[in-house]
């Protein structure tokens, strides 16, 4: 350890001074030199001691404690401006799809109000879109038509804390346990704050995986199911009315049964997706500034059973479908104006520029 090295250095200096004292006894002319060396040794000792004491101001336990406090504080975020850079690789069998995306936007009202601009490339093709969330609905801009696709947001009115913790109160504990067990945990004190980094061990990865699957299956998917049911019924009724179809062509019971069948297929697909989800790697790099994490880089590797999802939709010919879909991504995100009173610019959504789904 550093303290052991310091002790060895002091012992070495004492031996050198004892050696020089013996030389002085035999050679009086060496007195001035001996005095200079003793002063030098004392100065060096003080410098070393101060250096070590400075390093002892922060240790692994304190760094992990600060990280836990910052993660808890982050879950109390009500508003802020967000920017992120994402590089990802989607692997389907022997095929790979590169993705590079830049996200710039703002959130407020605990993510119930949101405006995001997304740009970048997928397989070399340019992407330029906008996503808004307002009053329980999401609006996604279609660049080709300049129309906004309106859908009920699957996370609207959901518990904000549950969203950020993946539905598990012990999520912060998983991070803390992972940091303690990580072989590569590192920390450094920088000008802006404390930076910590580590690779999540397998045991904590499995806990996070279970938490994510549990929240999606128990909370998000049921909410989506209800919203989907209401939305599809509304669309079908509007379609039948516009086409002036005779209601006797298909009874309401038959129509409802058909809708339920389609919804059940989608819900089953979503459940299989998260039941088969496997997180194989997470690497975290966080900068703790004023007690919160506003600068973070996360690398994540995951995969899910693709063929099973396709089969859940009723597709029988799946010979050419890869068994799994793998996603490897790196996201660097920044948060500014955290919990400040910010204004979010929204387009004016009208019947002319909104297409309901």
């Amino acid at each position: 350890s550093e303290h052991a090295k310091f002790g060895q250095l002091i012992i070495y200096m004492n031996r050198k001074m004892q050696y020089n004292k013996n030389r002085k006894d035999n050679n009086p002319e060496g007195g001035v030199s001996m005095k200079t060396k003793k002063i030098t040794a004392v100065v060096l000792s003080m410098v070393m001691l101060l250096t070590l004491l400075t390093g002892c101001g922060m240790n692994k336990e304190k760094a992990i404690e600060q990280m836990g406090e910052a993660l808890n504080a982050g879950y109390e975020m009500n508003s802020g401006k967000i920017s992120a850079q994402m590089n990802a690789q989607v692997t389907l069998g022997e095929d790979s799809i590169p993705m590079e995306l830049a996200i710039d936007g703002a959130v407020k009202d605990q993510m119930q109000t949101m405006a995001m601009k997304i740009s970048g490339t997928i397989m070399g093709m340019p992407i330029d879109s906008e996503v808004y969330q307002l009053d329980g609905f999401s609006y996604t801009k279609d660049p080709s038509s300049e129309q906004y696709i309106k859908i009920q947001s699957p996370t609207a009115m959901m518990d904000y804390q549950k969203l950020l913790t993946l539905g598990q109160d012990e999520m912060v504990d998983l991070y803390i346990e992972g940091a303690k067990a990580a072989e590569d945990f590192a920390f450094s004190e920088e000008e802006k704050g404390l930076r910590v980094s580590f690779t999540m061990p397998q045991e904590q990865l499995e806990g996070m995986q279970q938490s994510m699957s549990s929240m999606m299956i128990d909370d998000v998917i049921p909410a989506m199911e209800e919203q989907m049911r209401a939305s599809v019924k509304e669309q079908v009724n509007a379609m039948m009315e516009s086409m002036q179809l005779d209601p006797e062509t298909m009874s309401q019971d038959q129509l409802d049964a058909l809708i339920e069948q389609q919804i059940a297929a989608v819900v089953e697909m979503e459940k299989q997706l998260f039941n088969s989800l496997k997180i194989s790697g997470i690497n975290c790099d966080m900068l703790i500034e004023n007690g919160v994490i506003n600068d973070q880089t996360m690398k994540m590797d995951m995969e899910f059973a693709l063929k099973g999802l396709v089969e859940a939709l009723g597709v029988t010919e799946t010979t050419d479908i890869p068994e799994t879909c793998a996603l490897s991504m790196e996201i660097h995100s920044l948060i500014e104006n955290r919990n400040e009173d910010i204004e979010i610019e929204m387009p004016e959504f009208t019947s002319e520029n909104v297409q309901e789904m």
Side-chain angles (χ1 to χ4, degrees), residues 293-333:
I293 300 169
N294 290 329
D295 184 340
Q296 179 174 225
T297 299
M298 177 174 285
K299 299 177 182 178
M300 180 180 289
D301 296 309
M302 64 177 71
E303 66 176 37
F304 58 87
L306 180 61
K307 182 175 284 189
L309 298 182
V310 175
E311 291 172 345
L313 290 173
V315 178
T316 55
E317 184 52 52
T318 59
T319 306
D320 297 329
I321 304 296
E323 289 288 341
T324 62
C325 173
L327 173 64
S328 178
M329 64 181 178
E330 177 178 337
I331 303 176
H332 178 215
S333 59

Side-chain angles (χ1 to χ4, degrees), residues 27 162 197 220 272:
N27 180 16
K162 188 171 288 188
S197 63
V220 175
Q272 286 197 25

Side-chain angles (χ1 to χ4, degrees), residues 204-217:
Q204 283 70 38
L205 283 179
E206 292 173 358
M208 297 181 73
Q209 180 179 303
Q210 292 171 3
S211 297
M212 184 182 295
S213 297
S214 176
M215 187 200 73
M216 295 301 297
I217 293 172

Side-chain angles (χ1 to χ4, degrees), residues 12-28:
Y12 171 77
M13 288 182 171
N14 286 338
R15 287 177 177 172
K16 288 293 291 184
M17 285 188 285
Q18 183 64 41
Y19 169 75
N20 286 324
K21 180 178 181 301
N22 295 335
R23 287 188 60 191
K24 176 193 171 185
D25 293 340
N26 297 327
N27 180 16

